Amino acid sequence: AHIFLWGGVNCWKSIENANTRVISLLWSVLLVAVVTAYSIKWHYEEVMLLFRIVHFVMVYKVVVWLSGSSMERLFSTIAAASFFIYVFHEPWMGYIVQLTIKELHPTGLVAYFMPLLFAAVTMGYSYAAYAILQHMAPAFLNVITGARAKRKR
């Protein structure tokens, strides 16, 4: 048990001291390697495992950077809408995924990037619905979100 504890502490110190530019470059190279390995069906699982490790470090670095910058206003705006997006997306996302898979039968790289496209589209239409409700029916929005949305004055 002590080995895991000290290994974890040393790993954390390494992540804290890691050069962000090197991590960014490594993340970019591994992303290209993952897409390439997937498309040519060559050691995809191993390359993806390496990418996940570097991706964790990269996400941590980005979150630390964002939390220390002047992004707090953006984060509070996103946080107010996040519950609504979470609740609103499910029925529509299910319909979009079912129609796309049944009608288009995606394969290869298209199927690989479809989750990213679905996430972007879902966030876009959910946030648009949130903004419309915030503008046109703020009292109703407060009721359905538990008053997480603040009225603009």
Side-chain angles (χ1 to χ4, degrees), residues 3-139:
I3 293 172
F4 292 120
L5 173 68
W6 290 113
V9 169
N10 287 331
C11 248
W12 193 258
K13 286 182 182 178
S14 297
I15 290 171
E16 286 288 328
N17 297 327
N19 185 339
T20 305
R21 289 185 181 176
V22 171
I23 296 296
S24 300
L25 178 65
L26 184 58
W27 184 88
S28 301
V29 168
L30 282 172
L31 178 63
V32 170
V34 164
V35 172
T36 304
Y38 179 81
S39 64
I40 64 173
K41 297 174 179 43
W42 181 80
H43 296 285
Y44 170 73
E45 290 81 15
E46 292 86 358
V47 176
M48 188 63 179
L49 180 63
L50 289 173
F51 177 74
R52 285 180 181 150
I53 294 168
V54 175
H55 184 72
F56 167 77
V57 174
M58 186 69 174
V59 167
Y60 173 78
K61 288 290 202 177
V62 167
V63 167
V64 167
W65 174 74
L66 288 175
S67 64
S69 69
S70 62
M71 300 291 286
E72 290 180 28
R73 182 177 166 98
L74 175 65
F75 284 154
S76 64
T77 302
I78 292 171
S82 65
F83 178 75
F84 178 80
I85 292 171
Y86 169 72
V87 172
F88 184 75
H89 89 281
E90 180 49 41
W92 305 108
M93 185 63 174
Y95 297 138
I96 291 170
V97 169
Q98 283 181 355
L99 286 173
T100 304
I101 291 174
K102 286 181 180 178
E103 298 299 323
L104 298 179
H105 306 291
T107 58
L109 286 177
V110 173
Y112 190 80
F113 286 108
M114 280 183 73
L116 297 173
L117 177 65
F118 286 150
V121 168
T122 299
M123 287 175 48
Y125 72 71
S126 297
Y127 193 77
Y130 175 83
I132 290 168
L133 281 175
Q134 189 176 28
H135 180 69
M136 307 216 27

